[in-house]
Amino acid sequence: MSLRPAETCLIFHVLDLDRTEAFYHALFGLTFERHQAVNQNFIFTRLSADFSMSFMLGEPCPGRHPFPTFTLSGKQMHAVIEELGRQGGHLLDPVSPAPYGLGAVLADPDGYRIGLYQPITLPSPLQNDTA
């Protein structure tokens, strides 16, 4: 089984989604999809077929965020976590619910944070109704 990720996404925690969207649009012309999962609102932009950025409401943590988050194909989460220890890494945050799937955070042998994401369902963009 190949453990190659299907996508890499940088995850940012921000205080204001509207401000963040306006900032990145003004500087780089990025356009965003708005999403609302059961417990999280976020904006999402795709930079290429296999690279994206997500901005979620939360406490900004410069120095700890962003971190690359690898989207896994199929049900690979547990296989990657099993291999983690053999490769000298360790689990920082256990597998838990994430928007439209499951997520976990691990550390590589040097302590760099890496996210894992396994989708369960496909997200659907929401209209921007901030009026």
Side-chain angles (χ1 to χ4, degrees), residues 10-32:
L10 291 180
I11 308 291
F12 294 82
H13 290 163
V14 300
L15 294 175
D16 184 321
L17 293 176
D18 293 329
R19 178 183 68 186
T20 299
E21 182 174 15
F23 176 85
Y24 283 93
H25 181 74
L27 263 61
F28 305 112
L30 298 180
T31 57
F32 291 87

Side-chain angles (χ1 to χ4, degrees), residues 8-124:
T8 302
C9 182
L10 291 180
I11 308 291
F12 294 82
H13 290 163
V14 300
L15 294 175
D16 184 321
L17 293 176
D18 293 329
R19 178 183 68 186
T20 299
E21 182 174 15
F23 176 85
Y24 283 93
H25 181 74
L27 263 61
F28 305 112
L30 298 180
T31 57
F32 291 87
E33 297 173 359
R34 286 197 169 253
H35 293 265
Q36 182 176 354
V38 172
N39 61 349
Q40 182 67 265
N41 293 332
F42 64 98
I43 56 176
F44 172 86
T45 186
R46 182 166 301 288
L47 301 173
S48 71
D50 58 359
F51 186 71
S52 61
M53 293 168 44
S54 287
F55 297 86
M56 300 181 169
L57 288 176
E59 187 64 34
C61 300
R64 292 185 61 209
H65 291 273
F67 54 87
T69 299
F70 295 99
T71 300
L72 304 173
S73 314
K75 296 185 177 184
Q76 299 176 324
M77 180 79 71
H78 294 290
V80 171
I81 290 171
E82 285 177 17
E83 183 64 23
L84 178 65
R86 291 191 286 272
Q87 298 301 323
H90 64 279
L91 195 61
L92 296 175
D93 293 326
V95 176
S96 60
Y100 309 110
L102 299 172
V105 179
L106 55 94
D108 75 4
D110 292 307
Y112 287 104
R113 295 167 58 88
I114 299 168
L116 299 177
Y117 176 73
Q118 181 175 299
I120 293 175
T121 60
L122 295 176
S124 59

